[in-house]
Amino acid sequence: MARFVSARLPQRVDADWLVVPVPLHRWRLWRRGYNQAALLTWGIAESRGCSVLVDGLVRTRPTPTLGGLGRRARARALSGAITVHPRRSKQIKGRRIVLVDDVLTSGATSDACTRALLRAGAQEVLIACFARVMDEALDLT
């Protein structure tokens, strides 16, 4: 999957970029045993020669499973839930970031992550995902 995602990234994504996965809350990570976005992150970074910051973002509180929620409900659920790890802000400032997620549905998670990275001083954020849910499949409310 990481090879497919990496192949679709712009050629300008090279060793100067930092690859950061969408975070899971620690309880969800503990229950699941892995973060699928982090696994993709390692493969993408390896194929492009980029550095990885696996804990660059933190989900500060548990959020409900977003499946079945409309756009507005997803955005509300994620409001204030994702932030830059306090000990990683220096590594993010001024960097170009590839933000990795497995599936992009409404964009609420990517938006929350992007806002946090830009507030921390990231120069640019590019979103990379394996799959994209089409708008027609979502409840647009």
Side-chain angles (χ1 to χ4, degrees):
M1 286 174 52
R3 283 193 311 252
F4 289 125
V5 175
S6 182
R8 301 296 302 165
L9 290 174
Q11 289 299 315
R12 63 191 176 95
V13 175
D14 58 19
D16 292 336
W17 287 69
L18 185 62
V19 188
V20 177
V22 166
L24 291 178
H25 187 269
R26 66 181 176 270
W27 295 341
R28 188 164 294 157
L29 179 60
W30 181 79
R31 279 193 309 271
R32 186 179 291 168
Y34 64 95
N35 177 348
Q36 64 278 12
L39 295 175
L40 283 171
T41 294
W42 287 107
I44 292 166
E46 182 180 344
S47 71
R48 291 299 181 115
C50 302
S51 298
V52 171
L53 192 58
V54 76
D55 62 346
L57 291 169
V58 177
R59 208 173 277 244
T60 57
R61 61 179 169 77
T63 53
T65 301
L66 300 178
L69 298 179
R71 288 182 188 278
R72 283 183 231 147
R74 287 170 183 262
R76 275 192 308 273
L78 286 161
S79 180
I82 297 175
T83 187
V84 167
H85 189 296
R87 292 190 301 252
R88 303 294 180 248
S89 58
K90 287 182 183 175
Q91 292 167 277
I92 289 171
K93 188 173 179 145
R95 297 294 300 270
R96 293 177 298 174
I97 309 285
V98 175
L99 175 67
V100 178
D101 203 355
D102 57 343
V103 179
L104 192 141
T105 305
S106 69
T109 303
S110 297
D111 287 347
C113 292
T114 298
R115 277 193 302 276
L117 290 165
L118 292 173
R119 273 195 307 269
Q123 178 182 343
E124 178 181 357
V125 179
L126 179 78
I127 299 166
C129 63
F130 179 73
R132 171 73 167 99
V133 176
M134 301 303 295
D135 288 342
E136 296 81 20
L138 296 175
D139 173 13
L140 299 177
T141 59

